Amino acid sequence: MQLSFAVNGRDVRLEVAPTDRVSDVLRDRLGLTATKVGCDAGDCGACTILIDGEIACGCLTAVAQVEGAKIETAEGLKENGALDRLQRSFLRHGAAQCGICTPGMLMAAKALLDENPRPDRGAVEDALGGVLCRCTGYRRIVDAVMDAGNSSDAGVIPEAGASVGAAIRHLDGEPKVTGALVFAADRVPDDAAAVRVIRSPHHFARFTIGDKQKFLKAHAGIELFLDASDIPGRNLFGAIPGFVDQPVFAEGVARYRGEAVAAIAGERESVSRIDESDFPVQWEVLEPALTPDDAMNGSMSRLHRERPGNILVRGRVERGDADRALKKAAHTVAVATSTPFIEHAYIEPEAGYAVRKGGRIEIFGCTQAAQMDRDGIAEIMGMDKRDIRVKPSACGGGFGSKIDISFQPYVALAAWRLGRPAALCYSRGDSMRSTTKRHPSRISLKVGCDADGLISGFDFNGVFDTGAYASWGPTVASRVPIHASGPYFMADYRATSVAVHTNGPPSGAFRGFGVPQSAVAQETAFDELADLAGIDRLEFRLKNALRNGQETVSGQKFAKGVGIAACLEALKPAWKTANARARRFNGKADGSRLRKGVGLGSCWYGCGNTALPNPSTIRMGLTRSGTLVLHQGAMDIGQGSNTVITQMAADAFGVPVHSIELVGGDTDLTPDCGKTSASRQTFVTGMAAKRAGEALRKMVLRRANVAGSARIRLAGQSIELEDARTTTTIDLGAIEPNEFGYVFMAEETYDPPTTPLDEKGQGVPYAVYGYGAQLMELTVDRSLGTVRLERITTAHDVGRAINPMLVECQIEGGVAQGIGMALMENYVPGRTENLHDYLIPTFGDMPEFDNIIIEVEDEIGPFGAKGLGEHVLIPTAPSILNAIRDATGAIVRDLPATPDKVLAAIHAAQKEK
Amino acid sequence: MNFSRPDRLDDALSLLAGGEWTILSGGTDFYPALGDRRPQGNVLDISAIGALRGISEHDDHWRIGALTTWSDVARARLPAAFEGLQLAALEIGSIQIQNRATVAGNICNASPAADGVPPLLTLDAVVRLSCARGTRDVALAEFATGNGTTVLRADELVTDLVVPKAAARGRSGFVKLGARKYLVISLTMVAARLDWDDRGVVTQAAISVGSCSLVAQRLPALERELIGRSVSRDLAGLVKAAHFAALSPIDDVRASSTYRLQATIELVRRALADLAPGGR
């Protein structure tokens, strides 16, 4: 039907299908891609627009219903070409991290501010409560909306040499608040074929694919039917060499619900109209093993021939004699904890497209690891990796899952075969069913201490459900035993782990690689142990905190930089006032249903790959016209590497950060900075950037023969170098550029110094660790088992805060994910495959924040910096469980601590009394 | 696929008389039900029938038009007996949902967790159904027959909800319990309405519970217990487990059945205490 409406003040007239979703019409027909699609079900609010002044989900609105209406989208926010106050406030507060939810947030905020220009926190939360964010923890978004009336706008613009440590705004922030940033699904070429993947609806099934030709003949517009037989190279992908075991298309047997068995490609309309039941696939359902117990002990057959007992890999770290120490211990505590699958739930589902260019393939889409994608696709396509180009789009959240390959092989194969672009945008269901999850865990821990409260024996075993394929299972199994001690000194220690295959989705990388799960056991056990020993819970942690010069459980010693004691010390004032506040409240409210509690959690986390190389290479160059270019390949998935890596490069070279131009992670243009994972970018890529900046500086100074301390000034086509004696000018135009177009260029690589671990897990697994501790205050309703988080005080040792604002952004976002893990998140294949059954925290579920940044300089890290990205979520869940116990005596060990479990635990605790 | 968007009820009803249609109004259940599929079959978009939107007062009843959105409900000026309904309106999905989702849609979707149903039950709401041949009234309590099923016939449309003035008396409340603050499906929810005379004697009591059985239910045994008592916060003390015998809450990933029942009892107590003078 033909209809007309107005968008951002412009009248449009279109021929549409009446039930087309308004979000699709805006994006696909009008090119207005600031309106994002995150779920197509009204669960995430990313598509929030204004219809006649009222907010609505574009994905739930039939276009026929907007006939004659006025629609407003984020593209219309700018005033006279300049950012409006709300957009500027978002930048000022760092309220946009990955940026995918930002347009929806802005529209909901605009509707509020139009009615109420001075809203309080509660009003902002209520008004924006229908939009989910997975990066920020919401606090800064609320701050930004409340502060939108403020016209003061001076940001921090540091001078040359003063970038490191400056809380500058995100360098890549502006396109996030205008909605102009191009995410994976935002620029599908008009002539692209649509690809659709056919997935197993069963946890475990044999299957046969019927007559493909017949199917193609019967369905006009479908041009390709792809299955395992169509893979030109190796029908496998994986994260870790030696563990590459996941087929692009399953061959005869599908090992998890959501596994790809085939794909079709063709004209978009035809592809989307195909009913799933039309696919010529016959299933023979097999009995699945959905828990490690079933997989290891039952009559379960091997999911992978070469892995008896369905055991993927085991891990072990051991020193001293844990059994003897436990026997000697004055007090011991034994705990058993369990956690479920946890979904990354980034608001941007996987998406992208591929184009064949002669003998090459170019892939555009979201990723955390462009170079790994390139190498993986080359294997699958049987091509030289130089013939694959990966051009990363903006990445709307990753948190670990977008390290692995998802959409890439399907679009590459289809584009190669069709000779025209091929695109694939995952639905929310596709994304949740098929991509990796956090490993479910079952942990048993026995830990003792002597009469003085010093740890005496620690015996840990963790069983991790690694799902149907390896992905990052080996990393989880190796990281956990190294980290299970927490940031404490332990002479007698044994930690073992096993990663077990089941018919669950592949468990892979998710912020913390198993350590958040192990910290739940260790940190909750510490509270009980401290109580048994009669020692204050904070003092107990301080007593045992690892110090400089003490050996870690893997036998590593740091002369400086061990920051956990500083973090715990920093929490002392908050600990005192929080406990007093809780005691006062509980004393007054005796017998009432509300109880306040205070809980602590600590963390440490090694930055970079575990005892394996993981180099980053940074290229920096000066063009003839005087542009300073930084090839920054550390994928910015919202965490801020585009900003902090540039800050470090700027100081190393000696110019203001805002004078640097960025080139992103395009594999044709930018050297490998490794994956955005393992909290490694600030440290590893930061080191490479620092070295590249310093090398480039040396080159320039040498050319002019000036002192090392000379000041560099970029002045158009020339550089001015000023030292104590003279000012020298280099005419860049007079220098012949190299093959990359640079007249000066430096390329530097950094790989952290680690050593392999011996059979007892002893060695140097990481060059740098970061540390942190968090203190949660909450209220428990003892009659309903509900938990209200009130305030969190965080203290994270980042060595050196390259950008204090971005440090806080990371902390708040990590805490939000820790809250989800503690209280609500539970991915059940076949049951919670959407964002209304799978719950992540909303605006109303967050505490107030008080962040204390600790800077205990690292011996190795750039400018003394340590990694932070994963650390921040590790202490949160245990701090919540400890606070619930503090408030009520209730011990919940099976996450998430939903109200039913909390109430049952409260009743159990009351009975015990 | 046929698509029609009439602006008159008669036209919609005659289309329904002539074939099978899927009804579309706010779209907030229509699209999620599709999953990754495209709409198929005939779609009758009733959202343009202006006469079906709005709340009006009549001699002996209040009328809530089928297409009244939950934001309309929340913003309307209504007697205190509707407060529970207005509180529920603010808990249905997000504001984005409330701005488009309709009262009739919530009822016709017939989810056990439909937030609008328990408060409407406490108002003795009657569902008015029309087809080309005529109109019939069905008590809301008899409208839904199970999870996703109702007595609505294929040629019928819900046109109004009628709240008798006899039931639009007293004060009411609504409490929803979920595992997070916003955008959450209820673990359990309770609506309650009480009216009392000048001497403070309870004359009407209407308590209903959603998410704890296939269809939301009133609690008649408890209501009988409350009538004739003096209104005070102590009414909460009269609530006993036996009053909830008809509920059959499920065990699922959101909560255990035991918990749903325990929490419901607690919520009913709180709702009663809040409604009494001096509560809230």
Side-chain angles (χ1 to χ4, degrees):
Chain A
M1 71 192 280
Q2 173 89 201
L3 62 92
S4 50
F5 51 93
V7 184
N8 300 328
R10 190 169 61 92
D11 290 326
V12 294
R13 193 166 180 79
L14 280 175
E15 180 66 35
V16 292
T19 55
D20 283 350
R21 302 169 193 253
V22 169
S23 47
D24 290 342
V25 172
L26 290 170
R27 292 175 54 83
D28 302 340
R29 301 294 304 282
L30 299 171
L32 296 171
T33 51
T35 301
K36 306 300 178 190
V37 172
C39 70
D40 264 344
D43 298 327
C44 77
C47 64
T48 297
I49 53 174
L50 299 188
I51 301 176
D52 291 331
E54 289 196 333
I55 55 171
C57 288
C59 77
L60 299 182
T61 307
V63 69
Q65 297 182 350
V66 299
E67 165 83 55
K70 288 193 178 72
I71 292 177
E72 293 166 75
T73 71
E75 283 96 345
L77 284 174
K78 276 180 137 186
E79 290 167 343
N80 309 321
L83 298 184
D84 84 343
R85 284 183 175 199
L86 181 60
Q87 291 171 312
R88 295 203 307 268
S89 189
F90 264 58
L91 284 181
R92 194 159 63 234
H93 288 274
Q97 288 192 25
C98 83
I100 192 82
C101 74
T102 309
M105 292 290 179
L106 289 167
M107 297 318 289
K110 180 183 187 323
L112 169 68
L113 293 172
D114 286 348
E115 240 173 56
N116 175 7
R118 298 210 169 276
D120 61 18
R121 286 202 95 76
V124 175
E125 290 174 4
D126 283 348
L128 274 63
V131 192
L132 298 179
C133 170
R134 192 59 156 166
C135 294
T136 63
Y138 300 106
R139 177 232 186 140
R140 274 154 209 285
I141 297 173
V142 180
D143 289 347
V145 177
M146 290 174 69
D147 193 36
N150 183 354
S151 56
S152 88
D153 209 34
V156 181
I157 310 283
E159 300 279 303
S163 290
V164 167
I168 64 166
R169 295 173 194 170
H170 290 85
L171 293 174
D172 53 3
E174 181 162 333
K176 293 177 182 174
V177 300
T178 61
L181 189 65
V182 178
F183 288 91
D186 291 346
R187 286 294 179 277
V188 174
D190 286 340
D191 61 338
V195 180
R196 186 159 153 200
V197 178
I198 301 161
R199 301 184 180 282
S200 171
H202 307 293
H203 298 301
F204 195 24
R206 268 193 282 272
F207 66 91
T208 49
I209 290 175
D211 192 336
K212 299 200 264 181
Q213 290 313 317
K214 198 171 133 197
F215 178 85
L216 289 174
K217 256 185 223 140
H219 295 90
I222 309 295
E223 296 158 66
L224 273 181
F225 190 119
L226 301 165
D227 65 12
S229 65
D230 294 290
I231 301 286
R234 184 170 66 160
N235 182 27
L236 286 177
F237 65 91
I240 303 172
F243 295 96
V244 176
D245 63 358
Q246 186 167 354
V248 176
F249 294 116
E251 298 184 35
V253 54
R255 296 179 178 85
Y256 74 98
R257 179 181 154 83
E259 179 161 13
V261 299
I264 55 171
E267 192 254 321
R268 188 170 167 180
E269 191 66 19
S270 316
V271 167
S272 71
R273 289 214 172 276
I274 300 278
D275 197 280
E276 225 147 276
S277 56
D278 287 352
F279 291 131
V281 185
Q282 262 93 51
W283 303 99
E284 182 201 335
V285 178
L286 303 170
E287 184 63 33
L290 294 175
T291 64
D293 269 350
D294 287 349
M296 281 191 291
N297 307 326
S299 53
M300 188 64 199
S301 56
R302 287 184 200 178
L303 286 171
H304 299 274
R305 207 177 34 209
E306 67 286 10
R307 294 174 191 153
N310 287 314
I311 289 167
L312 169 66
V313 69
R314 293 178 186 275
R316 180 182 198 86
V317 171
E318 192 169 1
R319 60 193 283 103
D321 187 336
D323 296 325
R324 209 183 55 194
L326 279 166
K327 260 190 214 123
K328 273 195 336 206
H331 311 282
T332 60
V333 165
V335 302
T337 61
S338 57
T339 63
F341 281 117
I342 298 182
E343 156 68 21
H344 301 71
Y346 24 74
I347 305 304
E348 180 202 40
E350 293 74 2
Y353 66 86
V355 183
R356 179 176 181 168
K357 293 219 165 141
R360 298 189 82 208
I361 297 176
E362 293 187 2
I363 299 171
F364 175 88
C366 55
T367 181
Q368 289 178 245
Q371 304 269 350
M372 284 177 65
D373 292 350
R374 183 197 60 177
D375 298 357
I377 297 304
E379 288 281 350
I380 291 163
M381 295 301 296
M383 292 168 67
D384 190 301
K385 57 186 178 188
R386 282 168 304 192
D387 290 331
I388 310 288
R389 177 179 189 179
V390 174
K391 300 202 285 189
S393 65
C395 186
F399 317 116
S401 191
K402 288 177 183 170
I403 310 173
D404 289 44
I405 277 173
S406 57
F407 72 93
Q408 296 90 343
Y410 308 108
V411 294
L413 189 55
W416 186 256
R417 290 277 291 273
L418 292 172
R420 68 184 160 102
L424 171 55
C425 302
Y426 277 23
S427 68
R428 176 56 55 183
D430 280 335
S431 176
M432 292 185 77
R433 275 188 288 275
S434 69
T435 64
T436 61
K437 304 284 168 278
R438 181 184 294 287
H439 282 69
S441 70
R442 221 185 48 230
I443 288 165
S444 56
L445 167 65
K446 194 170 178 193
V447 54
C449 69
D450 66 16
D452 296 329
L454 291 172
I455 296 297
S456 172
F458 188 99
D459 184 13
F460 173 103
N461 177 250
V463 178
F464 291 88
D465 176 354
T466 205
Y469 296 101
S471 182
W472 296 93
T475 306
V476 168
S478 65
R479 255 192 191 267
V480 166
I482 300 169
H483 287 85
S485 61
Y488 305 101
F489 174 73
M490 293 181 193
D492 299 291
Y493 176 84
R494 179 174 59 229
T496 56
S497 65
V498 59
V500 183
H501 284 299
T502 65
N503 292 108
S507 298
F510 190 164
R511 214 169 189 176
F513 285 104
V515 180
Q517 294 95 307
S518 69
V520 167
Q522 175 264 313
E523 283 292 323
T524 58
F526 267 36
D527 262 24
E528 289 187 44
L529 200 53
D531 291 357
L532 282 180
I535 300 171
D536 173 87
R537 295 163 193 164
L538 179 60
E539 285 303 330
F540 181 84
R541 286 174 170 82
L542 265 171
K543 235 178 216 291
N544 288 289
L546 189 73
R547 310 277 169 162
N548 289 335
Q550 280 182 329
E551 285 195 4
T552 68
V553 290
S554 46
Q556 193 175 356
K557 231 192 265 185
F558 294 96
K560 61 183 280 196
V562 177
I564 183 59
C567 295
L568 290 166
E569 291 284 352
L571 290 183
K572 271 186 172 172
W575 178 243
K576 204 171 150 201
T577 53
N579 277 309
R581 201 159 28 223
R583 266 198 307 275
R584 210 161 45 236
F585 179 89
N586 294 340
K588 255 197 290 192
D590 196 34
S592 106
R593 56 201 188 206
L594 298 180
R595 283 281 165 154
K596 281 193 196 295
V598 187
L600 288 169
S602 301
C603 74
W604 70 329
Y605 197 77
C607 307
N609 285 1
T610 308
L612 287 170
N614 61 142
S616 282
T617 302
I618 282 279
R619 180 188 301 153
M620 217 172 158
L622 258 170
T623 67
R624 233 174 173 171
S625 56
T627 307
L628 180 58
V629 181
L630 179 69
H631 292 256
Q632 200 295 95
M635 275 308 303
D636 194 320
I637 59 174
Q639 90 283 23
S641 51
N642 279 339
T643 304
V644 297
I645 301 298
T646 312
Q647 286 180 269
M648 289 186 270
D651 275 11
F653 184 64
V655 292
V657 63
H658 292 93
S659 59
I660 294 180
E661 198 164 280
L662 282 179
V663 172
D666 183 326
T667 56
D668 271 12
L669 303 178
T670 294
D672 190 1
C673 284
K675 59 199 169 33
T676 287
S677 158
S679 304
R680 58 178 292 285
Q681 296 295 22
T682 298
F683 162 39
V684 183
T685 301
M687 282 296 282
K690 179 169 180 276
R691 289 182 173 185
E694 288 167 351
L696 191 68
R697 175 182 176 84
K698 250 188 215 153
M699 245 176 250
V700 170
L701 298 188
R702 196 179 309 127
R703 171 102 183 187
N705 198 20
V706 294
S709 60
R711 292 225 309 247
I712 299 180
R713 226 168 55 78
L714 300 174
Q717 284 202 8
S718 58
I719 303 185
E720 291 172 12
L721 302 155
E722 187 188 331
D723 65 10
R725 295 170 296 131
T726 57
T727 298
T728 314
T729 301
I730 301 176
D731 179 5
L732 297 171
I735 308 173
E736 197 54 38
N738 69 5
E739 56 179 312
F740 299 99
Y742 296 122
V743 293
F744 290 100
M745 186 183 104
E747 194 169 297
E748 290 290 328
T749 298
Y750 179 76
D751 192 16
T754 60
T755 66
L757 304 182
D758 66 17
E759 72 286 354
K760 288 196 160 180
Q762 303 296 299
V764 179
Y766 312 101
V768 171
Y769 283 81
Y771 306 83
Q774 298 175 1
L775 185 160
M776 184 69 84
E777 296 172 70
L778 52 74
T779 303
V780 181
D781 184 322
R782 289 193 293 173
S783 312
L784 290 174
T786 49
V787 173
R788 203 168 75 85
L789 305 180
E790 274 154 3
R791 189 178 298 101
I792 186 167
T793 310
T794 68
H796 281 274
D797 167 31
V798 297
R800 177 85 190 272
I802 306 299
N803 183 325
M805 182 173 85
L806 269 61
V807 166
E808 290 200 70
C809 287
Q810 280 292 287
I811 292 172
E812 290 158 18
V815 166
Q817 291 182 354
I819 290 168
M821 176 179 173
L823 296 178
M824 63 188 81
E825 298 191 32
N826 184 6
Y827 180 78
V828 182
R831 178 62 184 84
T832 60
E833 296 169 347
N834 56 62
L835 290 178
H836 56 264
D837 287 316
Y838 188 85
L839 302 181
I840 64 171
T842 66
F843 271 95
D845 303 302
M846 300 299 298
E848 287 174 27
F849 280 91
D850 185 6
N851 302 319
I852 306 168
I853 299 177
I854 307 292
E855 295 180 298
V856 178
E857 193 186 342
D858 190 77
E859 196 166 12
I860 290 181
F863 304 93
K866 305 164 181 173
L868 172 74
E870 290 159 286
H871 309 67
V872 288
L873 93 59
I874 297 169
T876 310
S879 76
I880 290 171
L881 298 180
N882 284 341
I884 291 173
R885 175 173 169 272
D886 182 54
T888 62
I891 296 179
V892 182
R893 299 240 188 261
D894 174 34
L895 295 188
T898 45
D900 57 339
K901 290 186 203 163
V902 174
L903 188 64
I906 289 170
H907 290 162
Q910 282 165 350
K911 244 182 233 161
E912 234 167 71
K913 263 191 208 161
Chain B
M1 181 188 120
N2 284 310
F3 177 86
S4 184
R5 190 169 189 247
D7 52 16
R8 285 165 28 98
L9 177 62
D10 288 351
D11 295 340
L13 296 180
S14 57
L15 284 169
L16 282 175
E20 270 193 37
W21 296 81
T22 303
I23 307 293
L24 164 66
S25 52
T28 59
D29 287 320
F30 177 91
Y31 285 101
L34 291 173
D36 298 346
R37 284 167 298 131
R38 303 279 299 255
Q40 281 164 350
N42 300 326
V43 175
L44 177 60
D45 180 349
I46 58 171
S47 64
I49 307 173
L52 295 188
R53 182 170 176 180
I55 301 178
S56 52
E57 185 178 3
H58 302 264
D59 282 350
D60 63 346
H61 67 276
W62 289 81
R63 172 191 169 269
I64 305 173
L67 299 183
T68 306
T69 66
W70 288 105
S71 292
D72 293 340
V73 171
R75 282 191 288 249
R77 292 174 69 98
L78 293 167
F82 287 85
E83 195 177 342
L85 183 66
Q86 293 187 297
L87 288 170
L90 297 171
E91 300 263 6
I92 293 177
S94 56
I95 297 174
Q96 289 87 327
I97 306 286
Q98 292 151 24
N99 283 341
R100 304 204 59 89
T102 64
V103 172
N106 196 247
I107 287 160
C108 292
N109 193 48
S111 160
D115 293 317
V117 173
L120 284 168
L121 283 175
T122 66
L123 291 166
D124 293 341
V126 171
V127 187
R128 184 155 291 164
L129 309 171
S130 293
C131 66
R133 290 166 293 123
T135 291
R136 62 174 177 141
D137 285 353
V138 176
L140 177 62
E142 279 144 35
F143 181 72
T145 54
N147 184 354
T149 57
T150 68
V151 299
L152 188 73
R153 290 193 286 254
D155 63 345
E156 283 179 323
L157 211 55
V158 171
T159 56
D160 311 278
L161 277 125
V162 175
V163 173
K165 282 213 169 147
R169 301 170 56 92
R171 298 178 64 183
S172 71
F174 174 79
V175 205
K176 166 173 171 173
L177 188 65
R180 70 177 179 191
K181 173 89 180 276
Y182 298 110
L183 273 173
V184 69
I185 297 171
S186 308
L187 304 175
T188 177
M189 64 185 130
V190 166
R193 184 177 61 82
L194 285 182
D195 191 27
W196 55 87
D197 64 17
D198 299 344
R199 294 165 305 141
V201 175
V202 174
T203 52
Q204 290 190 8
I207 318 292
S208 61
V209 174
S211 276
C212 282
S213 45
L214 285 177
V215 176
Q217 294 186 29
R218 290 268 293 260
L219 301 176
L222 173 59
E223 293 172 1
R224 281 194 300 273
E225 181 74 39
L226 295 170
I227 287 172
R229 304 278 180 170
S230 335
V231 65
S232 80
R233 294 176 63 80
D234 297 339
L235 287 178
L238 298 170
V239 178
K240 302 210 166 45
H243 297 137
F244 299 78
L247 300 182
S248 50
I250 55 164
D251 247 324
D252 74 353
V253 62
R254 292 191 193 116
S256 67
S257 61
T258 313
Y259 174 78
R260 284 178 204 265
L261 200 57
Q262 289 168 337
T264 304
I265 294 171
E266 177 65 22
L267 290 184
V268 169
R269 288 186 177 135
R270 291 186 190 183
L272 290 174
D274 283 350
L275 285 180
R280 245 180 293 186

